[in-house]
Amino acid sequence: MAPYHIRKYQERDRQRVLGLFSQGMVEHAPTTFRHILKLPRTFVLLLGGPLALFLVSGSWLLALLAGLTLLAALRFLAKYPWSQYVDHSLHTDMCDITKSYLSAPGSCFWVAECEGQVVGTVGALPVEEPTLRKEQLELFHLSMASEHRGQGIAKALVRTVLQFARDQGYREVTLSTSMLQHSALALYQRMGFQKTRQYFANMTGRLACIPIIQLTYQLPSAQVSQAPRQRGGL
């Protein structure tokens, strides 16, 4: 494995960072499509829709076209939430990464660089809830170039966020990921993140049965500070 180092984001990284982020999201579409095809409701739709049309029209051609149209619609449904998330991010926090992540204390954005090229990214912002902004840091946009996955770089990026949170005095690091992001979910759980909530982000996610999973990592300093209060309450 070629050596790498992690550093703060610079404006010259912008195009590469946005490319990694966009590609990392869109590549989940095939997994989502396979997931949708396995749903019982999808089986009923793909079988029942064309069959009903055949019974009404008597045309196998119309039934076949209906089936292909349904498959195309399902493929669009599989891609839509990922492309929508990319579009939303490019118009919000990823529109100006320096302003969003590097203009105020308590937030940051890092890149992993290998042989002069950015191969990984991760960002961190205080949570939006005003009462928790000083206690919880939220991890965003952990992305890795496909050819550099499985080399421990993503884990190092997450550790960078955890250490930053400790240094800044946060009590917890939180993040959200989808049920279908298997590698990321497994990584977070191996590193000690605990599932705290599961919900559907929108109607598309509900229709496709793709819940968002919220995970939280309680920093050791916070665990230690809570222990005396717990013992005192017994």
Side-chain angles (χ1 to χ4, degrees):
M1 180 182 73
Y4 68 89
H5 70 280
I6 295 173
R7 59 170 174 79
K8 287 185 179 180
Y9 168 87
Q10 299 173 11
E11 276 302 314
R12 61 184 172 87
D13 304 320
R14 176 175 172 78
Q15 291 304 316
R16 177 63 175 170
V17 166
L18 295 183
L20 285 176
F21 164 63
S22 300
Q23 180 60 37
M25 291 294 99
V26 173
E27 70 182 18
H28 293 299
T31 302
T32 306
F33 183 58
R34 290 192 294 270
H35 166 77
I36 292 174
L37 289 179
K38 294 177 182 178
L39 297 175
R41 69 184 67 171
T42 304
F43 176 78
V44 172
L45 178 66
L46 289 176
L47 181 64
L51 180 59
L53 185 59
F54 170 73
L55 292 176
V56 171
S57 66
S59 171
W60 282 111
L61 179 59
L62 283 178
L64 177 61
L65 290 175
L68 293 175
T69 301
L70 287 173
L71 282 173
L74 292 174
R75 185 173 290 276
F76 173 81
L77 179 65
K79 186 177 180 180
Y80 178 74
W82 306 108
S83 57
Q84 182 188 46
Y85 177 67
V86 169
D87 185 64
H88 173 76
S89 297
L90 293 180
H91 285 84
T92 52
D93 63 310
M94 297 293 277
C95 177
D96 188 337
I97 298 173
T98 298
K99 181 179 179 180
S100 298
Y101 290 90
L102 300 172
S103 62
S107 60
C108 198
F109 199 98
W110 299 266
V111 300
E113 191 173 51
C114 180
E115 298 181 331
Q117 185 176 43
V118 172
V119 299
T121 72
V122 72
L125 290 170
V127 297
E128 292 183 353
E129 176 60 45
T131 60
L132 297 175
R133 285 185 65 83
K134 293 184 179 181
E135 296 188 4
Q136 288 188 348
L137 184 71
E138 189 164 4
L139 184 153
F140 288 99
H141 307 312
L142 178 65
S143 301
M144 283 297 307
S146 57
E147 65 271 21
H148 289 275
R149 293 172 187 170
Q151 300 177 6
I153 302 177
K155 188 173 184 179
L157 285 166
V158 176
R159 283 176 173 166
T160 299
V161 174
L162 297 179
Q163 186 59 54
F164 176 80
R166 292 188 188 97
D167 295 341
Q168 294 291 316
Y170 289 101
R171 298 170 64 87
E172 294 177 338
V173 176
T174 184
L175 63 90
S176 297
T177 188
S178 82
M179 177 190 74
L180 297 181
Q181 292 171 273
H182 305 299
S183 298
L185 188 57
L187 171 65
Y188 297 135
Q189 291 179 323
R190 285 198 304 270
M191 295 187 70
F193 283 83
Q194 301 293 320
K195 179 180 173 181
T196 54
R197 185 186 172 204
Q198 181 170 309
Y199 62 97
F200 292 106
N202 47 45
M203 185 56 67
T204 302
R206 188 178 295 277
L207 288 173
C209 291
I210 305 173
I212 300 298
I213 298 174
Q214 188 175 66
L215 301 165
T216 300
Y217 183 97
Q218 190 171 51
L219 295 165
S221 58
Q223 294 172 350
V224 171
S225 66
Q226 288 180 0
R229 293 200 299 269
Q230 292 173 348
R231 288 196 293 269
L234 294 177

